[in-house]
């Protein structure tokens, strides 16, 4: 059941930061998240996605805990990143799993068994959990993905559970601070049975399971609206599309 729920979530609710780009606050109140991601059929980023999934799992009787993580993926220096990501630990039967439905274009398509060093093939990439081996944070665990034959660290986390209230500050930071990646780049991502769709600024990528890619450059607001609708299931008002495209055109 956990595996099925995880896949249905990531394949249905896209990862996206469009409200951040539009200058709208990201409300982590459970009712606000449900309204946005379920009632209005929008997407969201990790704090929204994993909070919604946590609530669903808890309602179904799973024991689920929130974890605070540091994102290493895409960093070009060795500085210690802050904890700006949320993941989940879920107990299913006698096993613990890492479940994360909100990590953009590298979101695991299924839960991962909580076992260090075990390579875990999924329908998309192969993942594993490993000790981070960084003396600055000696107790952290890394989530890694095998990409083009090499293991890449996506993020790391302390295994101690945190209260969901602890994510209010990182949510404010990633959604408002000028240096945050999410305030600088428009992003949408969603996996499907044959690969992943990823949108970053004007660049729309269709990535196959073998990681071959077909890339398309968007040419206008109508193009943007069509891409968001067909690949991500997002139907934004014309006014929002116009504002998003005006920003893209000016960059």
């Amino acid at each position: 059941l956990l595996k099925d729920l995880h896949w249905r979530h990531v394949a249905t609710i896209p990862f996206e930061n469009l409200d951040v780009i539009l200058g709208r606050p990201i409300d982590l109140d459970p009712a606000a998240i449900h309204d946005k991601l379920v009632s209005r059929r929008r997407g969201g980023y990790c704090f929204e996605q994993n909070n919604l999934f946590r609530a669903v799992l808890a309602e179904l009787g799973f024991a689920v805990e929130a974890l605070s993580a540091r994102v290493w993926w895409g960093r070009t220096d060795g500085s210690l990143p802050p904890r700006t990501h949320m993941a989940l630990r879920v107990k299913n039967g006698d096993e613990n799993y890492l479940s994360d439905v909100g990590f953009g274009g590298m979101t695991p398509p299924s839960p991962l068994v909580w076992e260090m060093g075990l390579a875990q093939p999924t329908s998309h990439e192969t993942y594993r959990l490993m000790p981070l081996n960084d003396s600055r944070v000696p107790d952290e665990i890394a989530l890694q993905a095998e990409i083009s034959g090499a293991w890449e660290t996506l993020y790391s986390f302390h295994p101690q559970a945190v209260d969901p209230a602890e994510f209010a500050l990182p949510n404010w930071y990633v959604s408002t601070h000028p240096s945050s990646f999410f305030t600088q780049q428009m992003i949408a991502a969603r996996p499907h049975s044959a690969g992943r769709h990823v949108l970053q600024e004007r660049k729309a990528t269709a990535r196959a399971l073998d990681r071959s890619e077909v890339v398309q450059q968007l040419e206008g607001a109508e193009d943007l609206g069509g891409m968001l609708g067909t690949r991500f299931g997002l139907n934004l008002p014309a006014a929002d599309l116009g504002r998003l495209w005006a920003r893209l055109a000016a960059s």
Side-chain angles (χ1 to χ4, degrees):
L1 177 60
L2 176 61
K3 183 176 180 180
D4 185 53
L5 288 170
H6 185 118
W7 171 251
R8 286 176 182 271
H9 183 113
V10 299
T12 303
I13 305 176
F15 181 95
E16 51 105 334
N17 70 334
L18 302 182
D19 277 354
V20 174
I21 298 300
L22 289 165
R24 294 173 182 153
I26 303 300
D27 190 346
L28 297 188
D29 179 81
I33 293 174
H34 186 277
D35 176 65
K36 180 182 176 184
L37 274 64
V38 179
S39 300
R40 294 193 282 125
R41 298 191 176 186
R42 285 285 309 279
Y45 59 12
C46 68
F47 302 124
E48 300 166 285
Q49 298 269 10
N50 282 315
N51 265 312
L52 176 64
F53 197 51
R54 180 180 63 85
V56 170
L57 293 177
E59 184 70 21
L60 292 172
F62 288 92
V64 55
E65 298 172 318
L67 303 169
S68 183
R70 310 175 191 274
V71 177
W72 296 89
W73 178 245
R75 292 182 71 87
T76 57
D77 61 49
S79 62
L80 189 67
R83 292 190 176 100
T84 57
H85 181 62
M86 177 185 184
L88 303 172
R89 176 169 52 213
V90 184
K91 188 171 183 63
N92 187 26
D94 294 329
E95 293 270 17
N96 283 318
Y97 291 82
L98 178 72
S99 187
D100 185 352
V101 295
F103 197 66
M106 287 299 294
T107 296
S110 59
L112 303 170
V113 177
W114 197 283
E115 182 176 336
M116 297 302 106
L118 175 67
Q120 302 186 49
T122 71
S123 56
H124 290 58
E125 296 80 14
T126 297
Y127 296 84
R128 71 180 183 184
L129 295 174
M130 293 287 288
L132 181 63
N133 290 327
D134 189 316
S135 60
R136 295 170 294 181
V137 283
D139 298 326
E140 292 199 357
I141 296 169
L143 173 64
Q144 298 181 332
E146 188 176 20
I147 301 173
S148 301
W151 287 103
E152 303 284 350
T153 296
L154 304 181
Y155 57 78
S156 65
F157 56 91
H158 194 283
Q160 182 176 352
V162 299
D163 190 281
E166 298 295 331
F167 295 104
L169 187 57
N171 177 61
W172 171 82
Y173 170 80
V174 300
S175 64
T176 64
H177 199 279
S179 66
S180 167
F181 180 76
F182 288 104
T183 64
Q184 300 175 27
Q185 298 275 320
M186 185 180 73
I187 303 168
R190 185 166 69 168
H192 55 93
S193 60
R196 297 181 186 268
H197 290 307
V198 180
L199 175 65
Q200 186 170 349
E201 295 285 270
R202 298 187 188 189
K203 179 182 171 183
T205 302
R207 181 181 301 140
L209 295 178
D210 63 3
R211 297 196 68 80
S212 61
E213 296 181 346
V214 176
V215 178
Q216 177 182 342
Q217 294 292 328
L218 303 183
E219 301 296 338
E222 185 175 344
D223 210 8
L224 173 62
M227 185 64 65
L228 289 174
T230 57
R231 294 192 179 180
F232 304 98
L234 297 169
N235 296 302
L236 270 65
D240 286 352
L241 290 172
R243 288 177 59 197
L244 290 170
W245 184 256
R247 177 198 165 280
L248 290 174
S251 62

